[in-house]
Amino acid sequence: MQEINRETLIAKAKELLDAGTVDRLLGWKRGEFDWDVTPAVFTADNLGEFVYNSFCGANFSKYLIAETRKSEKKVLVFLKPCDTYSFNQLLTEHRFDRERVYAVGIPCEGMLDVAKIRGLSDNVASVTDGETVKIETLWDGEITSEREKLLAERCLNCKSKKHVAYDELIGEDGDVLDSHRFDEVERLESLTPDERYAFWQNELSRCIRCNACRDVCPACTCEKCVFDNPNSGLENKAAANEFEEKLFHIIRAFHVAGRCTDCGECSRVCPQHIPLHLLNRKFIRDIDNFYGEYQAGAEVGSRAPIVNFTTDDLEPSEAVRRDENA
Amino acid sequence: MRKLSLERLDALLSSISEKMPLYLPVDTDGGAHFVRFQSGLKPSEKLLPSKSAKDIFFPQSEELVNFKVDGKKIEIIDIRKECEDFVVWGVTPCDAKALRVLDNVFLAEPIDSFYKNRRDHGIIVSLACARPSETCFCQTFGIDAADPDCDVAIYKADGYLYLSPKTDKGEKLVASLADLTEDTDEKPVEDAKNTIRERLAKLPLANLKADAFGAGKTSKFFDAPEWSELSESCLGCGSCTFHCPTCQCYDIKDIDTGHGVIRQRCWDSCMYSEFTKMSAGQPRLTQKERFRQRFMHKLVYYPERYNGLYSCVGCGRCLRVCPIGMNIVKVMKKLGGNENA
Ligand code: SF4
Ligand code: SF4
Ligand code: SF4
Ligand code: SF4
């Protein structure tokens, strides 16, 4: 159950619209069902369709790139704690104009994963949030589940309830958490190379190259991705073989290394439920181990260890040796 | 009409797979997927496989032809082979209908021999939908999920599996399974159909109508102001197109192997920036135009070309996979106005 509700957010939006602080806002539009909300731009006229519930997980930071280009007026954006890290990372990379945004930090109790709900019933009439989530089904009556069991993976392993960027906060700010987000990475590291290969082979064989992971990713903001560019020699609309299946993901993981904030959007949107966050977390952990703890997006303007140089840096050969012994 | 106890389903599937390749949806970490049957595999109980049976007839990528280059000599290597008969088990009625949509495109001159080969040899076994989902709206397009358009319709009722052959191919398959099945009257299946139809009528999208769309509506909808709002947060990921059982667009690419060329085709998506790019450039400059293309094709252009048939079958996959919760139902409701209540 979220601490804040639709009414609180609408009241805040109206207040800022009336005061002329902003002239529009990014929010979620009501869908056909409880779970199919759509990111949208609102003004005072269409706030009736504004919705806020535990399916409003989309990270709006990346939308600010396009939205801030549309007008010099400020746009209001509501940011969950994890979104604020992407927000800062985009600012570090000069991807949008901070002056054109009014950011309101909102608390978050974790978002629900509709795939987990579908695991309980594939005919969901409605979902009522609470410590016990009630799922009204079409043919099986009401099903209930502990909220914890339906949380999205990224929320179960939430790294921080602290907002690292905002103009204003609703509610109390939280803390950086001791999460278990690297447990699964450690498990994979403990496998033999062959077992690990088999794991990724199995997962990535389902990839249909829809590119949703890339398109939603706040670290993927190239004007033209090499994989879309016929002149790059890498353009590729579908994997022709097992090698190409992995090529896309390896290049992508390397390209976002040090910039990925672990917001979890890639895994949220993957229609084939591929645990992409594990690739990113492996890089994050390696960077932490080799160069000292670093959280992308924690502050604006920080230099990621892999684009920085200090005389204390680990020699590449030492990094390779440690990884081999891992 | 024949039946067998559901407890003997594995024997039935094994018997089919001894005769010919059998594909069926099996549960994986990422939803149900079609795989080739091996003894011990259990068919998924899920209503809808993550991706449709289309993939078996029109795979995401395939080689078309190879060229061997030796100096100035080019040898054309035709790699086509007639495939053997095979069975696709557990196709949903919507996905079965989707093959008819593809047939119009691929089986008309110039015939797509790759698709035709598989279509000629594939036998479609379709399971009527006893437990439709909230995302289902096949009825909007005149599809009866209680009476699938396929080679053999199957029903599960009171512990039995009923097999109802609907074509010659289907008759032959069911006849070949005579030693495992027994004759039965139509009554239990008629009851099952009635229950299914009662459920279909209760679905949340049961009243969605497509009447506002169809042939001749291009000028009415092409410049509709609503497209901007509908497409404003679309990521252009193409997930909707790659899961859609009726999307049929592909691209062809020559891969230089150093001593020849592999000509490969793979699915393409109207949602992509490079789609149908020509020497003069890209005809659809922004995501709005690309988004519009997808829905106009399903609801207006295709029916205009093919006798009023829509190229959406209401499977609901695009409702499930879109990262931003945008889909054809929202488009129809927004553009169709009151006609679509
Ligand atoms: S979202 Fe999933 S299926 Fe799509 S390209 Fe990424 S990993 Fe592949
Ligand atoms: S859309 Fe219709 S045919 Fe398809 S799965 Fe749902 S009920 Fe069955
Ligand atoms: S447009 Fe959507 S609902 Fe219609 S057939 Fe395609 S995926 Fe299914
Ligand atoms: S409508 Fe949804 S699934 Fe389709 S391209 Fe846009 S964001 Fe992706």
Side-chain angles (χ1 to χ4, degrees):
Chain A
M1 187 72 188
Q2 300 297 337
E3 222 176 273
I4 44 158
N5 57 25
R6 171 176 188 266
E7 283 60 44
T8 319
L9 296 183
I10 289 191
K12 177 52 69 190
K14 283 201 172 135
E15 175 197 318
L16 292 163
L17 286 165
D18 287 347
T21 314
V22 300
D23 72 342
R24 65 204 189 287
L25 63 136
L26 279 167
W28 303 265
K29 192 174 274 187
R30 190 174 56 221
E32 288 299 311
F33 309 101
D34 291 321
W35 48 265
D36 64 337
V37 297
T38 298
V41 181
F42 292 84
T43 59
D45 303 334
N46 59 347
L47 275 177
E49 290 179 276
F50 182 97
V51 73
Y52 187 70
N53 62 27
S54 287
F55 297 103
C56 295
N59 178 349
F60 284 151
S61 306
K62 189 177 185 179
Y63 282 107
L64 292 173
I65 300 172
E67 202 48 44
T68 52
R69 284 179 191 169
K70 290 184 192 159
S71 149
E72 287 184 6
K73 296 261 173 58
K74 279 186 199 276
V75 56
L76 164 62
V77 64
F78 293 115
L79 300 175
K80 309 189 292 301
C82 52
D83 304 339
T84 60
Y85 288 80
S86 313
F87 184 90
N88 275 351
Q89 184 61 29
L90 286 162
L91 285 173
T92 299
E93 296 169 12
H94 307 286
R95 300 301 285 127
F96 67 87
D97 182 351
R98 179 69 179 86
E99 293 307 309
R100 294 185 178 184
V101 181
Y102 191 86
V104 172
I106 56 176
C108 175
E109 301 304 310
M111 293 290 160
L112 302 179
D113 180 350
V114 68
K116 289 190 178 171
I117 293 175
R118 288 212 178 281
L120 300 177
S121 167
D122 199 8
N123 49 87
V124 181
S126 70
V127 181
T128 312
D129 201 2
E131 235 160 86
T132 306
V133 177
K134 284 193 207 135
I135 303 157
E136 197 59 56
T137 70
L138 294 174
W139 324 123
D140 312 310
E142 185 184 279
I143 299 177
T144 57
S145 165
E146 258 173 68
R147 187 166 199 274
E148 179 97 358
K149 294 211 168 99
L150 301 178
L151 280 182
E153 192 285 337
R154 61 172 170 178
C155 302
L156 279 172
N157 288 311
C158 179
K159 64 181 178 292
S160 170
K161 298 277 188 210
K162 179 177 152 79
H163 294 81
V164 292
Y166 55 84
D167 291 300
E168 179 180 342
L169 270 185
I170 296 183
E172 293 284 305
D173 205 4
D175 296 313
V176 174
L177 305 176
D178 276 332
S179 82
H180 293 284
R181 64 182 172 136
F182 296 118
D183 289 3
E184 186 63 8
V185 174
E186 278 165 26
R187 190 187 70 78
L188 289 177
E189 283 173 346
S190 72
L191 301 179
T192 65
D194 283 347
E195 288 167 336
R196 209 157 43 227
Y197 185 86
F199 172 86
W200 282 112
Q201 175 74 26
N202 173 45
E203 292 293 340
L204 295 179
S205 67
R206 289 198 307 276
C207 174
I208 55 166
R209 278 302 302 284
C210 66
N211 299 323
C213 50
R214 176 198 70 185
D215 293 337
V216 82
C217 172
C220 278
T221 63
C222 295
E223 293 292 323
K224 187 106 197 150
C225 175
V226 283
F227 287 103
D228 286 349
N229 183 351
N231 301 325
S232 70
L234 270 175
E235 185 216 23
N236 162 295
K237 286 172 175 159
N241 50 42
E242 289 180 356
F243 171 74
E244 287 191 356
E245 247 164 42
K246 296 176 199 73
L247 181 71
F248 169 73
H249 291 285
I250 292 172
I251 292 190
R252 210 181 87 75
F254 268 99
H255 194 196
V256 302
R259 306 189 300 118
C260 164
T261 65
D262 198 11
C263 75
E265 282 287 86
C266 48
S267 293
R268 174 182 72 89
V269 301
C270 178
Q272 293 299 323
H273 308 292
I274 298 170
L276 297 158
H277 57 275
L278 295 176
L279 284 177
N280 301 325
R281 286 183 189 162
K282 166 68 178 158
F283 278 88
I284 293 171
R285 221 180 86 96
D286 279 355
I287 292 172
D288 284 353
N289 288 344
F290 295 159
Y291 304 105
E293 297 247 328
Y294 177 77
Q295 171 60 54
E299 56 201 64
V300 180
S302 66
R303 284 186 72 83
I306 53 173
V307 292
N308 207 7
F309 173 75
T310 73
T311 45
D312 300 334
D313 276 358
L314 204 64
E315 291 300 327
S317 55
E318 172 64 9
V320 170
R321 196 189 60 78
R322 279 205 215 167
D323 203 41
E324 275 169 355
N325 293 342
Chain B
M1 177 94 50
R2 307 280 293 181
K3 72 170 180 181
L4 104 161
S5 162
L6 274 171
E7 282 162 17
R8 305 207 54 213
L9 180 58
D10 189 60
L12 186 86
L13 296 174
S14 299
S15 166
I16 297 174
S17 76
E18 277 160 23
K19 300 177 182 66
M20 57 187 103
L22 164 65
Y23 299 90
L24 78 183
V26 168
D27 287 328
T28 74
D29 296 339
H33 282 263
F34 279 98
V35 298
R36 188 160 171 180
F37 178 81
Q38 291 167 343
S39 175
L41 275 185
K42 293 244 168 319
S44 170
E45 292 285 327
K46 292 203 167 71
L47 172 75
L48 206 60
S50 161
K51 312 218 358 273
S52 78
K54 171 181 90 174
D55 299 32
I56 295 171
F57 297 90
F58 174 41
Q60 180 159 17
S61 68
E62 67 181 312
E63 286 180 22
L64 299 180
V65 64
N66 293 340
F67 303 94
K68 207 166 134 193
V69 183
D70 186 7
K72 288 197 168 156
K73 241 181 51 209
I74 298 181
E75 191 189 335
I76 300 172
I77 304 163
D78 188 345
I79 53 172
R80 283 175 296 182
K81 275 202 276 307
E82 175 110 11
C83 65
E84 50 184 332
D85 287 349
F86 63 94
V87 171
V88 192
W89 181 272
V91 177
T92 56
C94 47
D95 289 351
K97 181 69 175 187
L99 292 172
R100 304 278 182 213
V101 171
L102 298 180
D103 288 352
N104 281 334
V105 177
F106 290 137
L107 300 183
E109 286 297 341
I111 292 171
D112 185 306
S113 52
F114 299 86
Y115 178 84
K116 181 170 187 297
N117 180 17
R118 302 186 188 108
R119 223 25 200 123
D120 285 346
H121 291 281
I123 305 167
I124 307 292
V125 179
S126 178
L127 175 65
C129 302
R131 299 164 58 76
S133 165
E134 83 275 14
T135 53
C136 294
F137 58 108
C138 49
Q139 311 168 78
T140 300
F141 302 106
I143 297 162
D144 183 359
D147 189 10
D149 176 7
C150 58
D151 296 309
V152 183
I154 52 176
Y155 299 83
K156 284 183 194 167
D158 41 74
Y160 284 92
L161 181 80
Y162 294 85
L163 298 106
S164 168
K166 310 191 63 146
T167 61
D168 289 348
K169 272 185 191 172
E171 291 281 2
K172 269 199 208 130
L173 177 69
V174 174
S176 76
L177 301 165
D179 52 342
L180 285 165
T181 57
E182 55 187 289
D183 251 326
T184 168
D185 64 69
E186 309 265 329
K187 176 83 171 66
V189 164
E190 286 312 313
D191 290 347
K193 283 186 184 172
N194 287 336
T195 316
I196 293 174
R197 288 181 186 136
E198 277 164 25
R199 288 195 163 178
L200 290 169
K202 285 191 208 147
L203 288 177
L205 299 175
N207 296 322
L208 181 71
K209 296 276 181 294
D211 307 352
F213 304 93
K217 295 293 169 69
T218 303
S219 54
K220 176 165 182 210
F221 292 117
F222 196 80
D223 287 320
E226 289 87 351
W227 291 116
S228 304
E229 184 192 327
L230 287 164
S231 63
E232 76 181 339
S233 54
C234 171
L235 302 169
C237 68
S239 195
C240 48
T241 53
F242 283 2
H243 285 83
C244 178
T246 67
C247 273
Q248 63 224 215
C249 293
Y250 59 81
D251 194 7
I252 294 180
K253 182 163 137 182
D254 281 353
I255 301 168
D256 185 350
T257 62
H259 38 78
V261 168
I262 296 174
R263 181 159 295 169
Q264 182 216 29
R265 82 158 152 197
C266 68
W267 295 351
D268 204 343
S269 168
C270 51
M271 290 295 196
Y272 290 169
S273 59
E274 302 303 302
F275 181 70
T276 62
K277 188 172 179 181
M278 295 168 284
S279 49
Q282 156 65 280
R284 300 180 193 91
L285 288 175
T286 70
Q287 199 55 33
K288 181 181 105 173
E289 283 105 44
R290 297 170 204 144
F291 181 96
R292 174 175 66 197
Q293 169 64 23
R294 167 157 161 78
F295 299 103
M296 287 294 277
H297 188 208
K298 300 278 177 228
L299 299 168
V300 179
Y301 308 152
Y302 188 100
E304 187 149 314
R305 175 94 194 264
Y306 298 107
N307 262 328
L309 182 71
Y310 294 96
S311 66
C312 170
V313 293
C315 73
R317 284 190 184 81
C318 56
L319 280 69
R320 291 166 177 240
V321 299
C322 177
I324 59 143
M326 183 43 68
N327 55 61
I328 196 163
V329 169
K330 290 184 181 177
V331 169
M332 287 169 75
K333 288 199 170 179
K334 188 93 198 169
L335 286 172
N338 295 334
E339 290 168 88
N340 270 304

Coordinates of all heavy atoms in Angstrom, one line a residue, chain B residues 94-95 98 135 137 141 239-241 243-247 294-295 298 311-319 321 327-329, ligand 3:
Chain B
C94 N -7.8 -17.6 -31.3 CA -7.3 -16.3 -31.9 C -6.1 -16.5 -32.8 O -6.0 -16.0 -33.9 CB -7.1 -15.3 -30.8 SG -6.1 -15.8 -29.4
D95 N -5.1 -17.3 -32.2 CA -3.9 -17.5 -33.0 C -4.2 -18.3 -34.2 O -3.5 -18.2 -35.3 CB -2.9 -18.2 -32.1 CG -2.3 -17.3 -31.0 OD1 -2.6 -16.1 -31.1 OD2 -1.6 -17.8 -30.1
A98 N -5.4 -16.0 -36.7 CA -4.3 -15.1 -37.1 C -3.6 -15.8 -38.4 O -3.1 -15.0 -39.2 CB -3.3 -14.9 -36.0
T135 N -7.9 -9.8 -20.8 CA -7.3 -9.1 -21.9 C -7.8 -9.7 -23.3 O -7.4 -9.2 -24.3 CB -5.8 -9.3 -21.9 OG1 -5.4 -10.7 -21.9 CG2 -5.1 -8.6 -20.8
F137 N -10.3 -10.2 -26.4 CA -11.4 -9.6 -27.1 C -11.5 -10.1 -28.5 O -11.8 -9.4 -29.5 CB -11.3 -8.1 -27.1 CG -10.0 -7.5 -27.6 CD1 -10.0 -6.8 -28.9 CD2 -8.8 -7.6 -27.0 CE1 -8.8 -6.3 -29.4 CE2 -7.6 -7.1 -27.5 CZ -7.6 -6.4 -28.7
F141 N -13.7 -9.3 -33.2 CA -13.4 -9.5 -34.6 C -14.1 -10.8 -35.1 O -13.7 -11.4 -36.1 CB -11.9 -9.6 -34.8 CG -11.2 -8.4 -34.3 CD1 -10.5 -8.3 -33.1 CD2 -11.4 -7.2 -35.0 CE1 -9.9 -7.1 -32.7 CE2 -10.8 -6.0 -34.6 CZ -10.1 -6.0 -33.4
S239 N 7.8 -4.2 -29.1 CA 7.4 -5.4 -28.4 C 6.0 -5.8 -28.8 O 5.7 -7.0 -29.0 CB 7.5 -5.1 -26.9 OG 7.4 -6.3 -26.2
C240 N 5.1 -4.9 -29.0 CA 3.8 -5.2 -29.4 C 3.8 -5.9 -30.8 O 3.0 -6.9 -31.0 CB 2.9 -3.9 -29.5 SG 3.7 -2.6 -30.4
T241 N 4.6 -5.5 -31.7 CA 4.6 -6.1 -33.0 C 5.3 -7.5 -33.0 O 4.8 -8.4 -33.7 CB 5.4 -5.2 -34.0 OG1 6.7 -4.9 -33.5 CG2 4.7 -3.9 -34.3
H243 N 5.2 -9.6 -30.6 CA 4.3 -10.6 -29.9 C 3.0 -10.8 -30.7 O 2.3 -11.7 -30.4 CB 4.0 -10.2 -28.5 CG 5.2 -10.4 -27.6 ND1 6.2 -9.4 -27.5 CD2 5.5 -11.4 -26.8 CE1 7.1 -9.9 -26.6 NE2 6.7 -11.1 -26.2
C244 N 2.8 -9.9 -31.7 CA 1.5 -10.0 -32.3 C 1.4 -11.2 -33.3 O 2.3 -11.3 -34.1 CB 1.3 -8.7 -33.1 SG -0.3 -8.6 -34.0
P245 N 0.3 -12.0 -33.2 CA 0.2 -13.1 -34.1 C -0.1 -12.8 -35.6 O 0.0 -13.6 -36.4 CB -0.9 -13.9 -33.5 CG -1.8 -12.9 -32.8 CD -0.8 -11.9 -32.3
T246 N -0.4 -11.5 -35.8 CA -0.8 -11.2 -37.2 C 0.3 -10.2 -37.9 O 0.2 -10.0 -39.1 CB -2.2 -10.5 -37.3 OG1 -2.1 -9.2 -36.7 CG2 -3.2 -11.3 -36.7
C247 N 1.2 -9.7 -37.1 CA 2.2 -8.8 -37.7 C 3.1 -9.6 -38.7 O 3.5 -10.7 -38.4 CB 3.1 -8.2 -36.6 SG 2.3 -6.6 -36.0
R294 N 0.9 1.2 -37.3 CA 0.6 -0.1 -36.8 C -1.0 -0.3 -36.7 O -1.5 -1.3 -37.0 CB 1.2 -0.3 -35.4 CG 0.7 -1.4 -34.6 CD 1.7 -1.9 -33.6 NE 1.1 -2.7 -32.5 CZ 0.7 -4.0 -32.7 NH1 0.9 -4.6 -33.8 NH2 0.1 -4.7 -31.7
F295 N -1.6 0.7 -36.1 CA -3.0 0.6 -35.8 C -3.9 0.8 -37.1 O -4.9 0.1 -37.2 CB -3.4 1.5 -34.6 CG -2.7 1.1 -33.4 CD1 -1.6 1.8 -33.0 CD2 -3.0 -0.1 -32.8 CE1 -0.9 1.4 -31.9 CE2 -2.2 -0.5 -31.7 CZ -1.2 0.2 -31.2
K298 N -3.8 -2.5 -38.9 CA -4.7 -3.6 -38.3 C -6.2 -3.3 -38.6 O -7.0 -4.2 -38.9 CB -4.5 -3.6 -36.8 CG -3.2 -3.9 -36.3 CD -2.9 -5.4 -36.3 CE -1.5 -5.7 -35.9 NZ -0.8 -6.6 -36.8
S311 N -7.0 -7.1 -39.2 CA -5.8 -7.9 -39.0 C -5.4 -7.8 -37.5 O -4.2 -7.9 -37.2 CB -4.7 -7.6 -39.9 OG -4.2 -6.3 -39.7
C312 N -6.4 -7.7 -36.6 CA -6.2 -7.9 -35.2 C -7.2 -9.1 -34.9 O -8.3 -9.1 -35.4 CB -6.6 -6.7 -34.4 SG -6.6 -7.0 -32.6
V313 N -6.7 -10.0 -34.0 CA -7.6 -11.1 -33.6 C -7.9 -11.0 -32.2 O -8.5 -12.0 -31.6 CB -7.0 -12.5 -34.0 CG1 -6.9 -12.7 -35.5 CG2 -5.6 -12.7 -33.3
G314 N -7.6 -9.9 -31.5 CA -8.0 -9.7 -30.1 C -7.3 -10.6 -29.1 O -7.9 -10.9 -28.1
C315 N -6.1 -11.1 -29.4 CA -5.4 -12.0 -28.5 C -5.0 -11.4 -27.2 O -4.8 -12.0 -26.2 CB -4.2 -12.6 -29.2 SG -2.8 -11.5 -29.3
G316 N -4.9 -10.0 -27.2 CA -4.5 -9.3 -26.0 C -3.1 -9.3 -25.7 O -2.7 -8.7 -24.6
R317 N -2.2 -9.8 -26.5 CA -0.8 -9.8 -26.1 C -0.2 -8.4 -26.0 O 0.6 -8.1 -25.2 CB 0.0 -10.6 -27.2 CG -0.1 -12.1 -27.0 CD 0.9 -12.9 -27.8 NE 0.7 -14.3 -27.8 CZ -0.2 -15.0 -28.4 NH1 -1.1 -14.4 -29.2 NH2 -0.3 -16.3 -28.3
C318 N -0.6 -7.5 -27.0 CA -0.1 -6.2 -26.9 C -0.5 -5.5 -25.6 O 0.2 -4.6 -25.1 CB -0.4 -5.4 -28.2 SG -2.1 -5.2 -28.6
L319 N -1.6 -5.9 -25.0 CA -2.1 -5.3 -23.8 C -1.1 -5.8 -22.7 O -0.8 -5.0 -21.7 CB -3.5 -5.8 -23.4 CG -4.7 -5.0 -24.0 CD1 -4.7 -5.4 -25.5 CD2 -6.0 -5.4 -23.4
V321 N 2.2 -6.9 -23.0 CA 3.6 -6.7 -23.1 C 4.1 -5.2 -23.1 O 5.2 -4.9 -22.9 CB 4.3 -7.4 -24.3 CG1 4.1 -8.9 -24.2 CG2 3.8 -6.9 -25.6
N327 N -2.1 0.3 -26.1 CA -2.5 -0.9 -26.9 C -3.7 -0.6 -27.8 O -4.2 0.5 -27.8 CB -2.8 -2.1 -26.0 CG -3.9 -1.7 -25.0 OD1 -5.0 -1.3 -25.4 ND2 -3.5 -1.7 -23.7
I328 N -4.0 -1.6 -28.6 CA -5.0 -1.4 -29.6 C -6.4 -1.1 -29.0 O -7.2 -0.4 -29.6 CB -5.0 -2.6 -30.6 CG1 -5.8 -2.3 -31.9 CG2 -5.6 -3.9 -29.9 CD1 -5.6 -3.2 -33.1
V329 N -6.7 -1.6 -27.8 CA -8.0 -1.4 -27.2 C -8.1 0.1 -26.9 O -9.1 0.7 -27.2 CB -8.2 -2.3 -26.0 CG1 -9.4 -1.8 -25.2 CG2 -8.3 -3.7 -26.3
Ligands
SF4_3 S1 -2.9 -6.1 -32.3 FE1 -2.6 -6.9 -30.2 S2 -4.6 -7.9 -29.7 FE2 -4.5 -7.6 -31.9 S3 -3.7 -9.5 -32.7 FE3 -1.9 -8.1 -32.4 S4 -1.1 -8.5 -30.3 FE4 -3.2 -9.5 -30.5

